[in-house]
Amino acid sequence: MCPDIRGQHHDLDAEARLAEASGLALAIGIVVAEAFVLPVRQVRPGTLFGAGQVENIAVACEQNEAELVVVDGALSPIQQRNLEEALKRKVIDRTGLILEIFGERAATAEGRLQVELAHLDYQQSRLVRSWTHLERQRGGFGFLGGPGETQIEADRRMIRQRMGRLRKELEQVRKTRTLHRERRGRAPWPVIALVGYTNAGKSTLFNRLTGETVMAEDLLFATLDPTMRAIRLPGVEKAILSDTVGFISDLPTQLVAAFRATLEEVTGADVIVHVRDMANASAGAQKTQVLQVLADLGIIEGEGGESTIPIVEAWNKIDLLPAEPLAELLAVAEGEPDIVPISAETGEGLEALLARLDALLTAGAKVHEIVLPAGEGQKIAWLHAHGQVLGDRAEEGEDGPIHRLQVRLTPKEFGRFASLR
């Protein structure tokens, strides 16, 4: 159910949030028996909902034989416990649901570390039991003896210790990622990062461009761990394409902190491709959420929203649009070089997207005239592989045959060529 609380503003309307919550439930294999929006005029501290609403929820649970109640919002520990007691069923909120999905999908050691840290951070506030029969005495007598450390305090201490160890391990992961980025910077292949709202089609596009088979299904958070593969562009011998975790509205703060090491991959990119699901009625609100995450990472700065990294918007799923909306969308995109309508499913528009990425990555390229002895075949081959050779004329020089080449190179590539021996 989706609580629609009076006075609270959301980028997505209640029905869109309810549809997204249903999608999250389906993503983890939950069978949705019934989904509905519940207006909340006044938040009740103990249960969030009013007594009558709680009774109605209990009746709906009985009628549908539901075993789990999902509330698409934030529940305090007390609210969660009271609802469970009133409904006689397990109750989880939006954060708990997303954490369950992440826990199931994390494939790498790093992903599992991040999910466990987020889980522990969430559980730390959920320890609302008070087991007085498990108190440990600290000695002494009379009023000075008193109860020692309770089980709940011991649980919290163990969680804090485990979280400390996980943070140290993730800090090591962050340092390793930084070293990898620096190494790529010296390589120096340009990096293209795919970002976007979850289920916008990033993994499908990634598979199209790389020929890989990364999991790409019509599910929220189908992939979590970042994946990198090499691709070729017309004027660039090799570029690294990175598929990142999808964004979502109201992403739990625990996950934002835990997945920062993963999201930092975006900050090292040369170009960002923002993949948007234009067949979704909430495409505008989804864009706002993605830009907010990029702002949190420091990629978008200032009131004007200027990006420190070039961003290309890939308007995806145009194959799902009716003729009239599609015509309007194409008309808007026509005058915007950094907007490319595509269909990752059919491949439509991908050549235009690659051409735009190539133009951005080679924007600083200049034409150089380079003269090499005919015997320097390795350097000549390098120029053909890494630059755009506009002319290659064989001549007779003073000391023998030479090649006079006209080559377009970026400053980075020209520096690499100058360092060749």
Side-chain angles (χ1 to χ4, degrees), residues 19-21 23-24 27 101 105 198-199 217-222 248:
E20 187 174 272
L24 287 168
I101 296 171
R105 299 281 166 74
T198 183
N199 210 29
E217 296 184 17
D218 188 19
L219 286 175
L220 300 181
F221 297 117
I248 196 168

Side-chain angles (χ1 to χ4, degrees), residues 65-288:
E65 298 181 352
E67 299 174 3
L68 174 70
V69 176
V70 179
V71 179
D72 185 50
L75 290 176
S76 71
I78 295 297
Q79 288 171 342
Q80 183 177 0
R81 184 181 67 176
N82 290 342
L83 282 173
E84 286 182 340
E85 289 178 353
L87 302 175
K88 304 294 188 289
R89 283 164 176 81
K90 175 70 177 172
V91 176
I92 61 173
D93 62 4
R94 180 185 178 85
T95 300
L97 182 60
I98 294 176
L99 284 170
E100 287 297 323
I101 296 171
F102 274 49
E104 187 178 272
R105 299 281 166 74
T108 65
E110 177 198 347
R112 287 191 289 271
L113 281 175
Q114 291 169 337
V115 170
E116 186 182 352
L117 178 61
H119 259 295
L120 291 173
D121 191 21
Y122 178 68
Q123 290 168 7
Q124 190 173 218
S125 64
R126 306 278 138 176
L127 296 176
V128 292
R129 303 180 308 277
S130 183
W131 296 340
T132 55
H133 64 285
L134 291 176
E135 287 171 349
R136 293 194 297 225
Q137 300 299 321
R138 66 170 178 261
F141 58 89
F143 293 111
L144 295 177
E149 182 181 51
T150 62
Q151 181 64 45
I152 191 170
E153 289 165 346
D155 286 351
R156 284 188 175 137
R157 177 170 50 79
M158 290 173 64
I159 285 176
R160 284 195 298 270
Q161 289 173 347
R162 178 63 181 155
M163 287 175 68
R165 288 195 295 271
L166 288 173
R167 287 196 177 100
K168 286 180 182 176
E169 291 182 50
L170 282 171
E171 179 61 22
Q172 188 57 47
V173 168
R174 191 189 67 77
K175 289 178 180 176
T176 304
R177 280 191 178 280
T178 303
L179 288 172
H180 286 172
R181 279 197 295 272
E182 289 173 356
R183 195 173 300 151
R184 285 200 302 271
R186 291 194 298 268
W189 313 119
V191 176
I192 302 165
L194 300 180
V195 304
Y197 208 79
T198 183
N199 210 29
K202 296 184 303 302
S203 295
T204 304
L205 177 59
F206 182 87
N207 290 341
R208 271 275 176 185
L209 296 178
T210 63
E212 291 290 326
T213 54
V214 169
M215 181 184 176
E217 296 184 17
D218 188 19
L219 286 175
L220 300 181
F221 297 117
T223 51
L224 285 185
D225 298 290
T227 311
M228 294 191 174
R229 295 292 185 273
I231 62 169
R232 286 186 68 95
L233 296 174
V236 180
E237 182 206 11
K238 185 167 96 172
I240 306 298
L241 187 66
S242 174
D243 184 17
T244 61
V245 64
F247 303 158
I248 196 168
S249 64
D250 302 323
L251 187 66
T253 53
Q254 294 95 338
L255 285 173
V256 173
F259 277 78
R260 191 168 185 87
T262 302
L263 294 173
E264 279 178 353
E265 282 295 328
V266 180
T267 64
D270 295 276
V271 178
I272 293 172
V273 178
H274 177 189
V275 183
R276 297 181 60 192
D277 177 2
M278 301 310 290
N280 192 306
S282 303
Q286 291 179 353
K287 176 182 177 179
T288 301

Side-chain angles (χ1 to χ4, degrees), residues 320-401:
L320 302 180
L321 291 172
E324 191 172 330
L326 176 59
E328 293 175 2
L329 183 146
L330 293 176
V332 172
E334 192 173 350
E336 298 289 341
D338 288 330
I339 295 176
V340 185
I342 67 163
S343 169
E345 187 66 34
T346 66
E348 183 181 355
L350 294 193
E351 286 188 10
L353 176 62
L354 290 175
R356 182 57 189 156
L357 293 175
D358 182 62
L360 287 171
L361 292 174
T362 60
K366 294 181 180 178
V367 177
H368 299 269
E369 182 174 271
I370 299 171
V371 178
L372 292 170
E376 292 279 10
Q378 194 171 352
K379 287 186 177 181
I380 295 169
W382 191 96
L383 289 171
H384 277 274
H386 293 78
Q388 189 177 1
V389 178
L390 305 175
D392 182 356
R393 192 168 71 249
E395 299 178 2
E396 192 65 37
E398 294 181 4
D399 300 322

